[in-house]
Amino acid sequence: MKKRYIICFFALVFVVSFAGAQVEKIVNGGFEGEDISMWAWQGDGTAAATMERSTVSPITGTASLKVTITTAGSSWWHIQLVQLFGINVKKYTISFKARAS
């Protein structure tokens, strides 16, 4: 059985509005900092992935996150990129850029 590898590059910006001020809630959302320990992939079943910060051909800025799916799960959502943080009930805007090959 042939394994399929999917490489995704993510540049993520999450901006929160508080009385007109914008506060970024996601730490290292653009992956410009070398520490990506606050990011994790979450899988289900037998799904598996690796991730690394990459400076090769970023979408924006000088870096991006490269996620390589090593074992696809049985559903499309079995690999998810996550960062946990607390939020209040407010209006939130999330935007991101992604590329797959």
Side-chain angles (χ1 to χ4, degrees):
M1 185 168 148
K2 183 179 178 183
K3 290 184 180 179
R4 292 193 307 168
Y5 295 94
I6 300 173
I7 301 172
C8 297
F9 293 89
F10 294 95
L12 182 62
V13 177
F14 187 56
V15 179
V16 182
S17 298
F18 289 109
Q22 293 185 339
V23 178
E24 187 169 330
K25 296 292 280 186
I26 293 182
V27 178
N28 196 16
F31 309 107
E32 299 298 320
E34 291 190 22
D35 182 13
I36 60 167
S37 64
M38 69 289 298
W39 289 99
W41 69 267
Q42 178 178 338
D44 188 44
T46 60
T50 61
M51 64 180 194
E52 64 181 311
R53 181 178 177 270
S54 174
T55 57
V56 177
S57 189
I59 294 175
T60 59
T62 60
S64 59
L65 189 69
K66 177 181 176 182
V67 177
T68 304
I69 299 173
T70 56
T71 305
S74 58
S75 293
W76 62 268
W77 56 269
H78 280 179
I79 299 291
Q80 301 175 38
L81 183 64
V82 296
Q83 184 179 120
L84 302 176
F85 54 89
I87 59 172
N88 297 320
V89 180
K90 301 276 185 180
K91 179 182 176 183
Y92 295 92
T93 302
I94 185 167
S95 63
F96 64 94
K97 294 180 181 180
R99 176 174 51 220
S101 61

